[in-house]
Amino acid sequence: MHRILPRAASFLDAAAAPARPLLPSSRMPALRLAGPSLSACSVPSTARLHPLPWLRCGGGGAVARRGLCCSAEAARRGDVAAGEGEEEEEGRGSRGGGGRNSPERRQRGRGDAATGSGELLAIPGVGPRNQRKLVEKGFDGVAPLKQLYRDKFFGKSDEKMVEFLQSSVGIIHKNHAESITLFIKESVDEEVKDTDTSKPCRRKRLTFCVEGNISVGKSTFLQRIANETIELRDLVEIVPEPVAKWQDIGPDHFNILDAFYAEPQRYAYTFQNYVFVTRVMQERESSSGIKPLRLMERSVFSDRMVFVRAVHEAKWMNEMEISIYDSWFDPVVSSLPGLVPDGFIYLRASPDTCHKRMMVRKRSEEGGVSLDYLQGLHEKHESWLLPSKGQGSGLLSVSQVPIHMEGSLHPEIRDRVFFLEGDHMHSSIQKVPALILDCENDIDFNKDIEAKRQYARQVAEFFEFVKKKNEALPAETSDGDKSMSPQVMLPGRGDLWFPGGSPLPKSALGSLEFRRAMSSFLSK
Ligand code: TTP
């Protein structure tokens, strides 16, 4: 049974910060459709060491199974026979017939020098023809293929290895290439899991936190973009925000979200405290995943930089309560490096748009949330995640990607990546990169598949960028060893700071062409 507290009438309107001009309803820039070109991969060193001859008499393959002998004529006929039947044979394997682990497939692995050890035939999607092609390229067993995957494709979208198998090895059918990729990927993942279950893929795995105002569409973004696109499906593991935990606590099914909105002054601290605890629990629960990228909905930093600031400003959290919050926030964050992400993704839309979306979804607890409240939260997101001018003395700072790193940013996201920095920033997220995505336009993800993939590509490219950046860092400053001297510093006012009071051109904010806008802004 839910314990619903009586709702305070439009308390949020009364307590919200004074209205500030809304951002113009920004238009999403024309979608750039040019996807990342797949990098041409050279044959790995292991492959170069095994330049095996191409023999036409398939020792352990379809020819042998069909009982054909190895005379030149029979070989010729056998080859033709294999060539004809093999697509079907390999196709069956790739679709699961005589599956990956079936005894029948394992049996076939009696090879000779021409076809390697023969173990390739145990891979779904590999029949005699594909076996020959692989051996020809030096992949005479499962091990060199695994090595190829580790060297070139680990942590990348499966598409890249599929593309390689088709274009460089000559596997004709995409489903065969996909089956081979899946088999190799799963084998490598298993090995990684076996060797270190306490820190799976620790050095390779990244975490991004997805941020944005109430109702901007974080959950939809995570579910639809990350789960349903080929660019991200195999790359990403999603950790949704624990809202359900807030709505149903203990055997009495208390709903702290509802309690907070009904009596914010009474419950703001308790709620923010519980939000933090549930995030820690979720981080723990999701820490043993093996996918290369963990996408978490929000973070303890948005709790602190956005919501705790908002409730403090609204006087729903008093001075004692915020002091208590801060007294444990720093030490706890410092002792739990898993809470510190490798990057942020900021889904950005105007408060108006978020308000409209909130009205449509009608979450019962949010009935009293006003446009003014959303506006206040929007400004706090902006002052936290968006670059502005100024260095030191408590001012927010420009945080552009250093010139020497620009080259590693894919053109599709070059104008949208910034580093968080400034005196107001918690020390553990100083220099953490943020990708800003315009979510102003309503997109029907059921129909606009290209828009969905466009977002997915941007996330995938951001992942590549952050991965490269982290690899370039000295070991002690990467991943769990991030140095963290505790510090929470907030801007003196809850506003964006602009020199001389002249804001960043609205058109620039709208179009998200920050880099260009910032250059002209700085040259003033
Ligand atoms: P959001 O984190 O904004 O989640 P959402 O479901 O609105 O996101 P989206 O629609 O983009 O998928 O907030 C969930 C609710 O919890 C919302 O009513 C705001 C409230 N909340 C706080 O009051 N304080 C907090 O610290 C957090 C994280 C949420």
Side-chain angles (χ1 to χ4, degrees):
M1 183 189 76
H2 284 250
R3 184 166 298 190
I4 309 289
L5 297 172
R7 187 177 304 288
S10 73
F11 65 92
L12 289 168
D13 297 279
R20 283 170 46 80
L22 282 175
L23 282 178
S25 181
S26 60
R27 307 299 304 165
M28 193 173 185
L31 294 178
R32 276 171 281 180
L33 299 182
S37 59
L38 292 170
S39 55
C41 295
S42 56
V43 176
S45 51
T46 42
R48 283 194 295 273
L49 290 173
H50 305 282
L52 295 174
W54 183 44
L55 292 190
R56 293 195 168 260
C57 186
V63 176
R65 282 199 303 285
R66 291 182 187 112
L68 297 175
C69 72
C70 248
S71 72
E73 175 60 10
R76 194 184 57 74
R77 278 187 284 114
D79 194 40
V80 171
E84 283 166 352
E86 193 173 327
E87 297 297 347
E88 198 193 332
E89 173 63 33
E90 283 163 344
R92 262 205 310 274
S94 68
R95 283 191 290 270
R100 173 161 62 233
N101 297 317
S102 80
E104 190 218 339
R105 294 196 71 84
R106 284 168 199 268
Q107 286 277 324
R108 285 192 245 144
R110 313 272 175 272
D112 57 25
T115 52
S117 64
E119 66 182 7
L120 288 172
L121 290 168
I123 302 176
V126 180
R129 178 185 283 177
N130 286 345
Q131 180 193 33
R132 276 198 307 273
K133 287 176 180 166
L134 285 162
V135 170
E136 245 194 332
K137 294 289 178 187
F139 302 108
D140 59 350
V142 173
L145 276 173
K146 286 206 244 177
Q147 194 56 45
L148 168 80
Y149 177 78
R150 280 193 210 96
D151 291 346
K152 302 277 181 193
F153 304 111
F154 190 91
K156 295 189 179 159
S157 141
D158 286 3
E159 274 291 285
K160 305 219 168 184
M161 182 152 166
V162 170
E163 162 88 7
F164 172 81
L165 289 172
Q166 289 197 275
S167 61
S168 299
V169 178
I171 308 274
I172 294 165
H173 293 294
K174 193 171 183 194
N175 65 326
H176 296 168
E178 284 172 347
S179 298
I180 298 167
T181 301
L182 188 66
F183 177 86
I184 296 298
K185 175 181 147 63
E186 285 180 353
S187 314
V188 172
D189 285 351
E190 275 304 308
E191 280 173 11
V192 172
K193 215 171 168 183
D194 289 348
T195 44
D196 189 353
T197 47
S198 64
K199 296 171 188 167
C201 301
R202 187 175 178 278
R203 295 164 94 208
K204 305 251 183 189
R205 195 166 186 240
L206 299 184
T207 298
F208 293 162
C209 291
V210 176
E211 306 286 356
N213 210 340
I214 296 178
S215 239
V216 70
K218 297 178 290 297
S219 314
T220 311
F221 178 87
L222 286 166
Q223 295 303 332
R224 306 299 307 272
I225 312 274
N227 266 344
E228 297 175 10
T229 59
I230 191 147
E231 287 83 358
L232 298 183
R233 209 173 36 213
D234 298 319
L235 182 72
V236 160
E237 177 184 308
I238 297 166
V239 185
E241 190 167 48
V243 179
K245 283 195 166 94
W246 310 339
Q247 292 172 314
D248 187 357
I249 305 168
D252 287 329
H253 308 286
F254 291 108
N255 182 340
I256 182 94
L257 181 63
D258 197 61
F260 160 67
Y261 278 132
E263 280 186 84
Q265 232 159 328
R266 166 68 185 84
Y267 287 111
Y269 177 83
T270 316
F271 178 46
Q272 292 305 150
N273 184 79
Y274 192 63
V275 167
F276 188 97
V277 170
T278 51
R279 284 204 202 289
V280 173
M281 281 153 55
Q282 253 194 344
E283 196 287 315
R284 292 270 122 154
E285 284 159 17
S286 63
S287 65
S288 58
I290 56 166
K291 291 213 178 151
L293 174 60
R294 179 171 58 160
L295 273 184
M296 303 187 82
E297 192 173 352
R298 287 206 187 278
S299 63
V300 296
F301 300 100
S302 43
D303 293 351
R304 181 63 188 90
M305 301 296 284
V306 176
F307 287 98
V308 171
R309 277 183 68 199
V311 292
H312 181 228
E313 277 174 25
K315 303 210 182 316
W316 298 333
M317 218 189 238
N318 64 32
E319 295 310 314
M320 180 181 73
E321 288 169 320
I322 194 146
S323 297
I324 294 173
Y325 188 97
D326 282 345
S327 74
W328 54 254
F329 184 89
D330 279 339
V332 177
V333 171
S334 301
S335 65
L336 295 171
L339 292 174
V340 182
D342 300 280
F344 289 96
I345 298 176
Y346 174 29
L347 306 187
R348 184 169 181 257
S350 67
D352 262 337
T353 297
C354 294
H355 193 249
K356 278 186 204 124
R357 290 176 190 163
M358 199 180 72
M359 293 295 135
V360 172
R361 88 167 165 204
K362 284 200 170 80
R363 186 182 271 158
S364 64
E365 295 90 345
E366 292 170 347
V369 176
S370 68
L371 178 59
D372 276 353
Y373 187 65
L374 292 185
Q375 215 160 317
L377 296 179
H378 174 77
E379 284 161 12
K380 287 170 182 59
H381 276 100
E382 300 272 294
S383 64
W384 170 38
L385 294 168
L386 214 61
S388 58
K389 193 178 174 182
Q391 296 277 345
S393 51
L395 302 174
L396 310 187
S397 66
V398 175
S399 39
Q400 290 176 317
V401 175
I403 299 291
H404 71 276
M405 294 190 70
E406 277 193 8
S408 51
L409 268 172
H410 191 274
E412 211 163 357
I413 57 167
R414 194 161 290 159
D415 292 336
R416 292 147 198 259
V417 173
F418 297 90
F419 282 117
L420 303 184
E421 61 180 355
D423 291 351
H424 67 304
M425 206 66 70
H426 192 274
S427 62
S428 58
I429 52 170
Q430 291 281 356
K431 307 268 187 224
V432 169
L435 169 69
I436 302 176
L437 296 179
D438 184 358
C439 294
E440 185 66 20
N441 282 0
D442 289 330
I443 293 172
D444 181 348
F445 287 130
N446 288 324
K447 294 194 185 129
D448 200 343
I449 308 298
E450 187 43 44
K452 193 157 84 171
R453 293 194 64 193
Q454 165 92 1
Y455 279 127
R457 277 200 300 271
Q458 292 181 342
V459 173
E461 292 304 339
F462 186 52
F463 169 77
E464 290 297 327
F465 168 74
V466 177
K467 194 160 74 120
K468 277 194 205 122
K469 179 187 86 62
N470 286 4
E471 281 165 3
L473 285 176
E476 67 271 17
T477 59
S478 64
D479 198 31
D481 301 319
K482 293 169 184 114
S483 80
M484 288 192 292
S485 55
Q487 169 203 30
V488 173
M489 293 181 77
L490 299 168
R493 302 182 299 133
D495 296 337
L496 269 171
W497 178 83
F498 296 108
S502 76
L504 208 61
K506 284 185 177 178
S507 56
L509 284 169
S511 69
L512 288 173
E513 291 184 8
F514 298 120
R515 188 165 304 278
R516 203 153 26 140
M518 287 307 294
S519 324
S520 59
F521 178 57
L522 291 168
S523 62
K524 277 183 193 166

